[in-house]
Amino acid sequence: MGSKPRISVPTAVRRLRRRLSNSSTRLRKRQVSCHRSSTGTGGATSVSGKLAALRNLIPSENADAKPDQLFRETADYIVLLKTQVLVLQKLVDFYGSQSQENRDATV
């Protein structure tokens, strides 16, 4: 008495197909709306947001720099970081080999 009435298999299949169709339609609509927001009219907002994020990453004296100046500063900062990494690698190579020689001499 407490059990639910059983539905026929064709009815269940139709309901399942309808559910799957609705969920895929919703997913496609969501993908299209996301694509439109990143390109087209909503693109200006995302570009300005990305520029603001870049401004936060790059140490700069001029907080209100134009995008071309910001890109130049970004390139300079990348070169600086690469140079720092290179210097640190050379220091590790130099002192790493020296400490290895010291260990070998004490043994």
Side-chain angles (χ1 to χ4, degrees):
M1 280 226 202
S3 65
K4 295 181 181 179
R6 294 186 59 139
I7 57 172
S8 65
V9 172
T11 305
V13 169
R14 277 193 305 256
R15 285 183 184 171
L16 181 60
R17 283 185 184 153
R18 195 175 319 131
R19 244 187 244 148
L20 290 174
S21 170
N22 288 341
S23 66
S24 64
T25 302
R26 275 184 268 138
L27 180 62
R28 276 192 302 260
K29 285 180 183 177
R30 190 176 307 139
Q31 288 172 341
V32 168
S33 68
C34 288
H35 182 68
R36 284 183 185 158
S37 68
S38 64
T39 60
T41 59
T45 306
S46 66
V47 170
S48 63
K50 290 176 182 179
L51 285 172
L54 186 59
R55 279 189 184 98
N56 289 334
L57 291 173
I58 304 301
S60 174
E61 296 169 5
N62 188 3
D64 297 329
K66 292 182 179 178
D68 61 332
Q69 178 64 29
L70 181 64
F71 294 143
R72 272 190 237 115
E73 290 178 8
T74 302
D76 291 342
Y77 188 59
I78 290 171
V79 170
L80 173 74
L81 290 175
K82 284 185 175 183
T83 305
Q84 286 179 349
V85 167
L86 181 68
V87 167
L88 289 172
Q89 285 174 340
K90 295 295 181 184
L91 286 171
V92 166
D93 291 342
F94 179 74
Y95 287 110
S97 64
Q98 201 174 40
S99 65
Q100 182 66 29
E101 291 171 5
N102 289 342
R103 277 187 247 150
D104 290 341
T106 57
V107 173

